[in-house]
């Protein structure tokens, strides 16, 4: 429906200290010929206005300092869909779960050309891959007048045929997922457990009780799984799971907040956690003995990401119906710059 | 004296329409139609210098089944925002938004006080409805909400003796069906009118889903609707110059809500029930005309989908008292007062909510010279918690040329408007803000009207230029304190534009006539928003096309008629950031009719093609609209006239 010129979106004010960003492709030495125009950069997922097909992917190239706010539409000449939830890169493809379009859009990871779609899903949320042929997606099911009450599920995806091969019932409102050691850890955000799915049998082999409302999971350098949970009615916490020790848990509690947990991510060295809770951004070393009491950034971020090379923090802000903004911060919490993207930036992928 | 003045006033503002209407009336079918009286006079007398357009009043009789939305789309320069065929449809004047359009039914504002706007799909006009459009702000005449303009629906009073019954059945593509029955009776003292319609559609048309991988053809899901409307009127002459009127209008609508292309079908449906009752007494009192009106509305809007249940019920009580008198032969005064009470029981509020609003107004019409008419109107409203500004209007018409059947009149008007925040703006939880200020606006306009009447050719052309601004425009935006939206007095919107309206009729003889019309609007409506470098930049408001053209022609030959209309709508941005837009489109419709008459019976056969060119278009982003479709109808009429 429209083609925006690249030129218009040149970021004149992008980053005085550009050295922070020039490292992102240095480690790529295997093949120097580019695989596509968007091989290296930051993919910013914009959720869009719910009920309208205004979800979009914005692409930032820190090297050339260019921003394409509407990458998917620009390449494919059609909207992405209604309410994009997550973007996951598997092999040479990007998988975008679009929850109110009940689909996963498949795009080429380098050119972002549309390659297919996985239909037949029910409010798809987050994706994790076992390998390039097999992945899992969490889905909210059982949506009713009083909210989400039915049992959630995880669908097994065949990425060679873009189809669902099996569905596995888990807890309420399964949200974040993490693949570790051939097992899929699923955060049941409407309940108080993590479901562990054996990827050989594609069945739930155990559930881990972690406390109210677990949402997102990351793996640290010591192969411990961290879960961000709770905060609505009762105080939230970071919960550390030790898969090597029979999934034993350690809890790092927060004071009671007025809003629930947001997003949890980890730096490139996998030793520092970053998360949003109660309208602020916090950080915590994986070796810490207690949860942080002061915020790193006092800002209610809708999306949160950290560049694994430069440790630059990316916060997605605002606008339910109008363009949102990304504000970048140094790891110390000092603001660097900001730029305008599309409606509701909720996630960042660094390539 | 009053009458003479009134006729004179009409001659300048609404004559073009009168002329057309009369000539249509002369062309009427074998069976006599009820004479049409002008009821929008209540306002047009005081609307010197402003633009009031009365739609062809016989259009609804010639083409029963035409919806108000169709009529506005095909015969006006307004942009109709429709969420699908039969779905929610709103209009906006002069680059404002749909909540800046006041809708008045026989003098009462019928906008839903919770949403502050009217869904035109819920207003099926009964056969004797006269539709007038007030372009531009008119707070003094039409009260809160008339910021961009007003749509006036009136059911004229006529005591001319007559009896008439008609029934109609219409069938069309995609499950469209419409059944209508109506009748009217008058013996000179008592007049009764009844009207019943039932309209339904499946809307299971096919469309190309351009949001999906591979752009597959799909059948539209979840877009069926059914609507029943019952209208009843009773007029009784208590004395030669005293009458009592009672009107009732009940509309019940069940709609599935058509999802956006590419959005999940959550089986959304909406049930609306709108009951409107009013009584009016008019008589000569204290050397003038006094009118007392009172009304009760009960509006129910229940929405549900797989995840949401939202119930709302609002009772509205309104009363108006007016007195009109001629102070001098050429000076007419009307004074009045209005009270409104809203009682809302809405699921999203903290409890039941009540609000009272009052306003007082004085309208003055002065014709110092035969070729000069002036009007000065003023209104002050009082609302619980805050008071809107005083809204004056000053307007003038000056006839500058009269020669050989041509007259040219210059017109100018300055008008202030206001809009009280809606009940949702004030009481919705979370977000509702009882301390919101009312919006206020100013409009300035001027133009020329040319009228031609020479032998078989009559016509009117009106050219208007305007500037408009709205302050404290209320917009919902993300709250500073949490994950919800809240309304704020945020923006200042400035607009300007031009409107051209031209209507002509060539009447060769009793059997042959040709009429044609054109309405064009050029609209600039801007607000300042930050661009990608956080610099404020003027941007066109979303869903405001710069250009809209509507044209129509109608040919009559003996008992045959052929009508066509074509509209062009320019590019519309679909968000205030101007990221996305809908491309320009043109729509063409055709209709052919034939009338058979036998004694006092008459049969009318009609066939229509809509969207003749099979244009793919949307008026709201990604709400699919029907492709080419067909309708046939048969109407039977029986009438006597003593």
């Amino acid at each position: 429906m429209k083609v925006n010129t690249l030129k218009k979106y040149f970021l004149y004010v992008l980053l005085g200290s550009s050295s922070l960003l020039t490292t992102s492709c240095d480690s790529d030495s295997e093949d120097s010929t580019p695989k596509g125009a968007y091989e290296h950069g930051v993919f910013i997922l914009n959720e869009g206005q719910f009920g309208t097909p205004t979800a979009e992917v914005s692409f930032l190239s820190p090297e050339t300092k260019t921003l394409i706010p509407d990458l998917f539409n620009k390449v494919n000449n059609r909207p992405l869909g209604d309410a994009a939830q997550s973007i996951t890169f598997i092999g040479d493809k990007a998988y975008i779960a679009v929850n109110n379009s009940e689909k996963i859009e498949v795009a080429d990871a380098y050119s972002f050309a549309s390659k297919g779609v996985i239909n037949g899903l029910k409010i798809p949320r987050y994706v994790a891959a076992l390998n390039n042929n097999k992945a899992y997606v969490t889905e909210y099911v059982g949506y009713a007048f009083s909210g989400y009450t039915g049992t959630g599920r995880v669908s097994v995806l065949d990425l060679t045929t873009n189809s669902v091969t099996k569905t596995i019932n888990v807890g309420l409102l399964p949200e974040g997922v993490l693949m570790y050691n051939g097992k899929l850890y699923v955060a049941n955000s409407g309940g108080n457990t993590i479901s562990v799915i054996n990827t050989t049998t594609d069945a739930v082999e155990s559930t881990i009780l972690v406390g109210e409302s677990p949402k997102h999971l990351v793996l640290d350098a010591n192969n411990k799984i961290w879960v961000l949970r709770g905060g609505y009615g009762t105080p939230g916490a970071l919960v550390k799971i030790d898969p090597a020790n029979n999934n034993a848990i350690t809890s790092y509690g927060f004071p009671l907040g007025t809003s629930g947990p947001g997003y949890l991510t980890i730096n490139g060295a996998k030793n520092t956690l970053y998360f949003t809770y109660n309208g602020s951004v916090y950080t915590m070393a994986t070796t810490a003995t207690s949860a942080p009491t002061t915020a790193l950034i006092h800002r209610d971020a809708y999306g949160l990401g950290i560049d694994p090379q430069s440790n630059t923090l990316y916060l997605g802000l605002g606008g339910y119906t109008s363009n949102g903004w990304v504000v970048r911060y140094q790891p110390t919490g000092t603001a660097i710059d900001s730029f305008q993207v599309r409606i509701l930036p909720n996630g960042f992928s660094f390539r | 004296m009053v009458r003479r003045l009134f006729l004179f006033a009409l001659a300048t503002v609404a004559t073009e329409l009168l002329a057309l209407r009369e000539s249509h009336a002369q062309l009427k079918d074998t069976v006599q139609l009820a004479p049409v009286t002008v009821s929008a006079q209540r306002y047009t007398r005081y609307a010197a210098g402003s633009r009031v357009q009365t739609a062809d009043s016989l259009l609804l009789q010639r083409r029963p089944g035409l919806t108000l939305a169709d009529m506005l789309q095909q015969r006006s320069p307004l942009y109709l925002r429709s969420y699908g065929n039969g779905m929610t449809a709103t209009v906006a004047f002069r680059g404002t938004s749909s909540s800046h359009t006041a809708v008045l039914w026989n003098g009462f504002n019928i906008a839903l006080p919770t949403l502050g706007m009217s869904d035109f799909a819920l207003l099926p006009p009964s056969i004797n409805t006269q539709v007038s459009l007030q372009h531009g702000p008119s707070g003094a005449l039409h009260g809160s909400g008339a910021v961009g303009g007003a749509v006036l629906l009136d059911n004229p009073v006529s005591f001319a003796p007559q009896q008439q019954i008609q029934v109609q059945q219409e069938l069309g593509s995609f499950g469209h069906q419409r059944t209508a029955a109506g009748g009217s009776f008058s013996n000179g003292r008592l007049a009764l009118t009844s009207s019943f319609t039932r309209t339904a559609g499946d809307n299971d048309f096919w469309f190309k889903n351009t949001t999906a991988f591979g752009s597959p053809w799909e059948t539209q899901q979840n877009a069926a609707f059914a609507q029943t409307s019952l209208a009843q009127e009773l007029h009784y002459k208590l004395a030669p110059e005293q009458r009592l009127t009672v009107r009732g209008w009940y509309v019940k609508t069940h709609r599935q809500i058509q999802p956006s292309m590419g959005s999940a079908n959550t089986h959304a449906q909406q049930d609306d029930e709108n009951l409107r009752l009013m009584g009016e007494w008019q008589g000569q009192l204290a050397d003038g005309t006094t009118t007392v009106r009172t009304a009760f509305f009960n509006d129910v809007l229940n929405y549900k989908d797989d995840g949401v249940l939202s119930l709302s019920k609002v009772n509205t009580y309104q009363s108006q008292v007016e007195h009109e008198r001629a102070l001098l032969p050429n000076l007419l005064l009307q004074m009045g007062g209005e009270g409104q009470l809203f009682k809302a029981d809405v699921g999203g509020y903290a409890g039941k909510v009540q609000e009272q609003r009052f306003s007082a107004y004085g309208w003055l019409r002065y014709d110092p010279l035969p070729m000069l008419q002036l009007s000065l109107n003023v209104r002050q409203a009082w609302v619980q918690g805050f008071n809107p500004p005083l809204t004056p209007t000053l307007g003038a018409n000056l006839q500058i040329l009269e020669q050989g059947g041509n007259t040219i009149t210059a017109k100018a008007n300055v008008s202030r408007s206001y809009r009280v925040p809606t009940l949702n703006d004030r009481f919705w939880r979370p977000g509702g803000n009882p301390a919101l200020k009312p919006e206020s606006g100013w409009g300035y306009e001027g133009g020329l009207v040319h009228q031609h009447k020479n032998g078989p050719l009559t016509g009117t052309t009106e050219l208007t230029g305007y500037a408009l601004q709205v302050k404290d425009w209320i917009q919902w935006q993300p709250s500073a304190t949490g994950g919800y939206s809240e309304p704020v007095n945020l923006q200042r919107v400035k607009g300007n534009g031009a409107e051209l309206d031209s209507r002509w009729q060539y009447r060769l003889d009793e059997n042959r006539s040709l009429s044609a019309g054109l309405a064009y609007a050029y609209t600039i409506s801007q607000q300042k928003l930050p661009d990608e470098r956080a610099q404020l930049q003027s941007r066109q408001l979303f869903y405001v096309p710069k250009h809209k053209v509507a044209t129509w022609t109608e040919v009559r030959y003996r008992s045959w008629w052929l009508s066509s209309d074509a509209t062009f709508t320019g590019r519309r941005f679909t968000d205030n950031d101007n990221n996305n837009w809908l491309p320009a489109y043109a729509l063409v419709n055709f209709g052919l009719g034939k009338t058979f008459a036998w004694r006092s019976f008459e049969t009318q056969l009609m066939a229509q093609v809509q969207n003749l060119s099979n244009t793919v278009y949307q008026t709201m982003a990604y709400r699919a609209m029907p492709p080419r479709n067909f309708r046939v109808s048969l109407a039977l009429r029986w009438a006597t006239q003593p």
Side-chain angles (χ1 to χ4, degrees):
Chain A
M1 207 151 274
K2 78 250 141 115
V3 178
N4 283 310
T5 56
L6 247 174
K7 205 171 180 181
K8 186 178 167 190
Y9 293 101
F10 258 94
L11 286 180
Y12 300 94
V13 288
L14 192 77
L15 196 64
S17 53
S18 57
S19 61
L20 274 174
L21 290 159
T22 50
T23 50
S24 59
C25 72
D26 290 355
S27 56
D28 250 325
S29 50
E30 335 123 25
D31 191 356
S32 57
T33 56
K35 293 172 175 167
Y38 314 109
E39 188 177 357
H40 297 294
V42 186
F43 293 84
I44 301 152
L45 189 63
N46 304 286
E47 194 167 302
Q49 184 185 351
F50 188 84
T52 66
T54 47
E56 187 49 277
V57 175
S58 303
F59 177 78
L60 172 75
S61 169
E63 298 157 36
T64 58
K65 296 183 189 173
T66 51
L67 175 73
I68 299 165
D70 51 347
L71 178 64
F72 189 90
N73 202 337
K74 182 176 145 61
V75 173
N76 300 299
N77 203 28
R78 70 174 171 93
L80 173 60
D82 180 2
Q85 190 65 44
S86 64
I87 179 167
T88 311
F89 287 86
I90 303 168
D92 55 5
K93 303 244 170 52
Y95 294 84
I96 306 152
V98 191
N99 80 49
N100 201 40
S101 292
E102 306 193 324
K103 67 178 180 183
I104 294 176
E105 284 280 349
V106 185
D108 184 280
Y110 310 116
S111 69
F112 231 69
S114 178
K115 289 290 177 192
V117 66
I118 304 172
N119 283 317
L121 301 167
K122 204 76 192 156
I123 316 179
R125 307 289 295 180
Y126 291 85
V127 176
L130 177 68
N131 52 45
N132 286 355
N133 302 326
K134 187 177 181 185
Y136 297 80
V137 59
T138 48
E139 294 165 86
Y140 286 1
V141 193
Y143 185 35
F145 292 134
S146 49
Y148 299 90
T149 53
T151 302
R153 72 183 184 201
V154 170
S155 282
V156 185
L157 308 175
D158 180 342
L159 304 184
T160 56
T161 59
N162 287 336
S163 59
V164 175
T165 55
K166 186 180 179 183
T167 58
I168 306 159
N169 285 347
V170 290
L172 293 178
L173 310 188
E175 186 81 345
V177 278
L178 176 76
M179 186 67 72
Y180 171 65
N181 200 19
K183 288 179 180 147
L184 184 75
Y185 292 77
V186 181
N188 297 308
S189 70
N192 53 12
T193 59
I194 304 291
S195 299
V196 184
I197 292 171
N198 181 323
T199 56
T200 313
T201 61
D202 284 338
V204 176
E205 64 168 31
S206 63
T207 50
I208 309 166
L209 199 64
V210 291
E212 187 206 36
S213 195
K215 277 196 95 170
H216 291 286
L217 316 97
V218 293
L219 185 73
D220 72 12
N222 298 320
N223 290 328
K224 304 289 187 286
I225 295 170
W226 291 84
V227 183
L228 181 64
R229 70 152 194 89
Y232 272 117
T234 56
L238 273 166
V239 178
K240 184 168 73 174
I241 300 173
D242 187 356
N245 183 17
N246 199 23
N247 291 332
I249 66 165
T250 317
S251 233
Y252 302 79
F254 311 138
L256 183 65
T258 53
S259 59
Y263 197 69
L264 169 68
T265 188
I266 195 162
N267 64 346
K270 294 188 182 298
N271 59 13
T272 309
L273 303 166
Y274 291 87
F275 59 96
T276 54
Y277 179 76
N278 200 23
S280 294
V281 179
Y282 291 84
T283 180
M284 175 178 151
T286 55
T287 52
T289 52
S290 65
T293 51
T294 53
L296 178 68
I297 300 163
H298 289 282
R299 203 149 194 185
D300 194 3
Y302 197 76
L304 174 69
I306 181 164
D307 188 316
Q309 306 291 335
S310 66
N311 284 331
T312 301
L313 281 165
Y314 286 68
L315 270 64
L317 301 174
Y320 295 117
T321 58
S322 56
N323 283 346
W325 292 82
V326 172
V327 185
R328 304 199 298 179
Y329 290 85
Q330 283 167 0
T332 54
T334 309
I336 302 169
D337 60 2
S338 65
F339 51 93
Q340 202 176 47
V341 287
R342 288 296 189 244
I343 299 169
L344 277 182
N346 68 2
F348 303 88
S349 287
F350 302 88
R351 300 271 294 165
Chain B
M1 283 181 293
V2 176
R3 191 165 298 146
R4 190 185 305 154
L5 179 69
F6 161 45
L7 285 174
F8 193 59
L10 260 184
T12 52
V13 181
T15 313
E16 73 246 45
L17 309 150
L18 270 183
L20 278 187
R21 189 174 311 118
E22 278 161 5
S23 35
H24 272 302
Q26 285 155 14
L27 273 176
K28 60 198 155 195
D29 312 317
T30 340
V31 174
Q32 299 287 297
L33 297 170
V36 176
T37 54
V38 182
S39 76
Q41 50 170 270
R42 180 186 167 218
Y43 306 113
T44 44
R45 253 178 285 188
Y46 300 96
S50 81
R51 181 161 173 239
V52 185
Q53 189 84 64
T54 303
D56 173 0
S57 70
L58 291 183
L59 189 64
L60 286 169
Q61 304 208 13
R62 285 199 305 280
R63 291 174 56 189
L66 195 71
T67 64
L68 200 50
D70 290 339
M71 192 193 244
L72 298 176
Q73 159 68 17
Q74 295 168 12
R75 300 269 167 133
S76 84
L78 302 184
Y79 179 57
L80 186 85
R81 303 176 187 183
S82 168
Y83 286 79
N85 180 37
M87 301 293 123
T88 295
T90 62
V91 291
F93 287 84
R94 295 188 172 174
T96 57
S97 82
S98 49
S99 53
H100 297 124
T101 303
V103 179
L104 283 85
W105 173 66
N106 294 301
F108 289 106
N109 192 318
I110 56 169
L112 215 52
T114 47
L115 296 170
M117 59 175 82
S118 292
D119 180 350
F120 284 82
L122 301 181
L123 301 172
S126 56
I127 208 160
N128 67 337
T129 302
Q130 184 182 298
V131 183
S132 311
L133 305 178
Q134 155 80 44
H135 296 262
S138 60
L141 285 183
H142 304 117
S144 176
V147 174
V151 176
L152 313 173
L153 307 176
D154 289 286
N155 301 103
V157 180
S158 168
F159 286 102
Q162 51 124 353
Q163 293 172 55
Q164 183 178 317
I165 294 173
Q166 53 199 10
V167 292
Q168 189 224 4
Q169 179 65 47
E170 183 174 75
L171 293 173
S173 313
F174 316 122
H176 170 85
Q177 36 179 310
R178 179 178 190 273
T179 306
S184 54
F185 164 86
S186 174
N187 63 6
R189 178 133 204 214
L190 174 71
L192 293 166
T193 307
S194 301
S195 171
F196 163 85
T197 61
R198 181 174 166 80
T199 311
D202 295 331
N203 279 326
D204 51 351
F205 54 85
W206 55 93
F207 67 98
K208 197 172 189 176
N209 185 350
T210 52
T211 70
F213 177 72
S215 298
W217 284 91
E218 293 178 5
T219 299
Q220 183 63 55
Q221 303 291 313
N222 203 61
F225 72 95
Q227 180 175 64
T228 304
S229 166
L230 194 60
Q232 178 68 50
E233 282 181 65
L234 183 155
H235 310 286
Y236 186 68
K237 231 180 224 178
L238 299 163
E241 292 194 311
Q242 214 186 102
R243 72 173 162 84
L244 192 65
T245 289
V246 177
R247 293 188 180 95
W249 189 15
Y250 173 72
V251 185
K252 184 175 165 62
T253 313
H254 172 79
R255 286 184 289 189
Q256 296 179 324
I257 303 299
Q258 178 178 327
S260 264
M261 265 183 213
S263 292
N265 176 6
T266 56
H267 310 100
Q269 38 186 288
Q270 186 174 321
D271 284 284
D272 289 86
E273 269 186 78
N274 308 95
L275 173 67
R276 302 182 184 98
L277 300 171
M278 67 168 283
E280 180 179 79
W281 175 88
Q282 189 172 66
Q284 302 299 315
L285 209 71
D287 290 335
T289 305
T290 301
T291 312
V292 180
R293 295 186 194 91
T294 188
F296 167 73
F297 305 154
N298 174 256
D299 294 295
V300 175
L301 191 163
N302 292 337
Y303 171 93
K304 67 171 181 179
D305 64 24
D306 290 344
V308 176
L309 179 65
S310 163
L311 306 176
S312 84
K313 189 173 87 176
V314 186
N315 286 337
T316 305
Y317 306 83
Q318 305 198 54
S319 289
Q320 298 174 345
V321 179
E322 281 174 6
H323 183 74
E324 181 178 62
R325 64 192 317 173
L327 301 175
L328 292 168
N330 57 353
L331 181 62
L332 192 62
L333 169 73
Q334 178 158 325
M335 298 187 70
E338 177 179 56
Q340 295 172 307
L341 168 65
F342 302 107
K343 290 186 172 180
D345 183 0
V346 178
Y349 300 172
K352 291 186 182 177
V353 161
Q354 275 200 30
E355 184 171 285
Q356 289 170 30
R357 299 179 189 172
F358 301 95
S359 70
Y361 46 91
W363 304 341
L364 209 57
R365 168 59 184 266
Y366 180 49
D367 295 2
L369 298 166
M371 73 282 286
L372 178 64
Q373 298 95 43
L374 303 171
S375 64
L376 173 64
N377 311 320
V378 65
R379 179 186 294 255
Q380 174 68 57
W382 294 271
V383 184
Q384 257 171 261
F386 49 74
N387 292 325
L390 184 78
T391 48
T393 297
L394 179 65
N397 290 327
L398 175 66
Q399 187 178 306
I400 50 180
L401 183 87
E402 183 171 15
Q403 202 173 51
N406 293 300
T407 59
I408 292 179
T409 307
K411 51 169 196 161
N413 185 281
V414 181
S415 186
R416 195 171 193 193
S417 61
Y418 71 99
R419 184 172 80 94
V420 176
T422 66
L423 297 184
N424 282 2
D425 289 339
R426 304 180 65 195
F427 302 111
W428 191 264
R429 292 278 184 97
N433 178 4
L436 275 179
K437 285 183 289 186
E439 298 177 349
S440 70
W442 280 100
Y444 314 88
E445 67 184 89
L448 290 171
V449 183
H450 168 241
Q451 290 177 37
H452 178 87
K453 194 170 167 69
N454 196 351
L457 183 68
T458 54
T460 309
T461 302
E462 185 170 4
L463 180 67
T464 310
Y466 68 86
L468 183 125
Q469 63 163 307
V470 184
K471 274 198 318 192
D472 294 323
W473 184 301
I474 295 168
Q475 192 181 39
W476 285 68
Q477 65 169 28
S479 146
T481 55
Y484 58 87
S485 292
E486 63 182 9
V488 284
N489 289 108
L490 187 65
Q491 306 172 40
R492 176 187 288 258
V493 173
K494 287 186 174 182
N496 58 74
E499 292 162 343
L500 175 68
D501 191 284
S502 191
R503 292 155 197 246
W504 293 87
Q505 187 178 53
Y506 186 72
R507 196 167 148 262
L508 207 61
D509 56 41
E510 281 297 317
N511 289 321
R512 289 176 288 176
S513 78
L514 171 71
S515 59
L518 175 143
Y520 167 70
Y522 171 76
T523 313
I524 296 294
S525 181
Q526 293 179 328
Q527 62 175 339
K528 283 190 155 55
L529 280 174
D531 63 7
E532 68 270 20
R533 278 177 276 153
Q535 304 285 308
L536 286 178
Q537 190 190 55
S538 286
R539 301 234 183 95
Q540 180 87 346
L541 247 60
F542 67 166
Y543 292 113
V544 176
K546 261 189 193 169
H547 305 279
K548 155 117 193 237
V549 189
T551 65
W552 59 93
T553 55
E554 194 167 302
V555 184
R556 294 176 72 85
Y557 178 72
R558 294 182 186 275
S559 60
W560 289 88
W561 59 262
L562 177 71
S563 77
S564 73
D565 57 81
T567 56
F568 170 84
T569 307
R571 181 172 81 159
R572 296 131 292 148
F573 291 106
T574 59
D575 52 50
N576 279 338
D577 294 305
N578 294 182
N579 291 334
N580 300 293
W581 58 80
L582 295 169
Y585 71 94
L587 270 190
V588 181
N589 302 316
F590 261 101
L592 180 68
K594 161 98 176 127
T595 307
F596 306 90
W598 181 71
R599 295 193 178 172
S600 44
F601 292 93
E602 183 189 283
T603 303
Q604 190 186 52
L605 255 177
M606 200 163 59
Q608 294 175 73
V609 189
Q610 307 209 1
N611 190 1
L612 182 80
S613 54
N614 213 13
T615 300
V616 175
Y617 70 102
Q618 294 153 15
T619 65
M620 290 299 291
Y622 298 104
R623 308 286 172 152
M625 296 297 280
R628 183 186 302 128
N629 62 92
F630 304 91
R631 286 181 187 180
V632 289
S633 95
L634 178 68
L636 300 172
R637 185 150 56 202
W638 172 84
T640 63
Q641 241 173 349

